[in-house]
Amino acid sequence: MLTVKELRVMAGRLTEPFFCRQIGPFALVQKPPKPVVEQMAMRLGAQRTVMGAGMGSLEALQVSMLLNFDILQVATLPPLRTQDALSVGRLPSCDLVINDPSVSKEHALLSWLGPTSSCRVRDLRSTNFTYLNGQPLAPEREYLVRDGDLVRFGDADFAFFLAKSLHTRLLRSGPVAG
């Protein structure tokens, strides 16, 4: 996995089409695990508490991910064909391995539909559910995932970005020394 900061350096050096070929059609940016978030909250002190007051959990997660964007991890995925399905879970055989006890061995399926440049997510009857923008997904039903959506597998939170918009966002956020 790369950090967003490392990916920003890469985006600054590559054209958008080449960047997209390198990372694939989309990326999943993972919120840091809870102990890392707790350490960040300690550093931010009362500012963090005040900012989160009155916010729902989805809004708090979005603010947390925006404030800490550079240190977030980017999940790397295998190369995709025009239509592909990617397994998500704890098993080493999964395409996206999430080493978190709240994630089922075979938790969910991401389906990339290249001709329409869209992605769908399906929960595989996981123990701790899959969520899309804070809403639990009904098992075995597919849901459209849009650019910027938040996807949660168990307790592991990710932001979904199409590669093109991620490239734009990384360049817009300012240069990073590399």
Side-chain angles (χ1 to χ4, degrees), residues 80-140:
L80 300 178
R81 298 178 294 266
T82 45
Q83 287 190 284
D84 223 335
L86 302 166
S87 57
V88 178
R90 278 193 345 260
L91 288 177
S93 58
C94 289
D95 297 305
L96 174 57
V97 177
I98 304 173
N99 191 12
D100 183 301
S102 70
V103 176
S104 296
K105 292 177 185 175
E106 292 179 337
H107 196 100
L109 196 64
L110 291 169
S111 300
W112 174 250
L113 306 170
T116 60
S117 294
S118 65
C119 187
R120 297 193 174 272
V121 63
R122 179 168 40 116
D123 182 82
L124 299 176
R125 299 194 178 279
S126 63
T127 304
N128 292 314
F129 308 103
T130 302
Y131 297 82
L132 183 60
N133 295 322
Q135 298 300 311
L137 304 184
E140 301 297 336

Side-chain angles (χ1 to χ4, degrees), residues 30-31 98-100 102-103 131 151-158:
Q30 184 174 16
K31 178 184 171 199
I98 304 173
N99 191 12
D100 183 301
S102 70
V103 176
Y131 297 82
V151 183
R152 172 180 265 194
F153 307 104
D155 291 332
D157 295 306
F158 293 85

Side-chain angles (χ1 to χ4, degrees), residues 56-70:
S57 60
L58 179 61
E59 291 86 3
L61 174 60
Q62 289 170 325
V63 169
S64 169
M65 290 188 84
L66 288 173
L67 286 176
N68 305 300
F69 195 64
D70 270 0

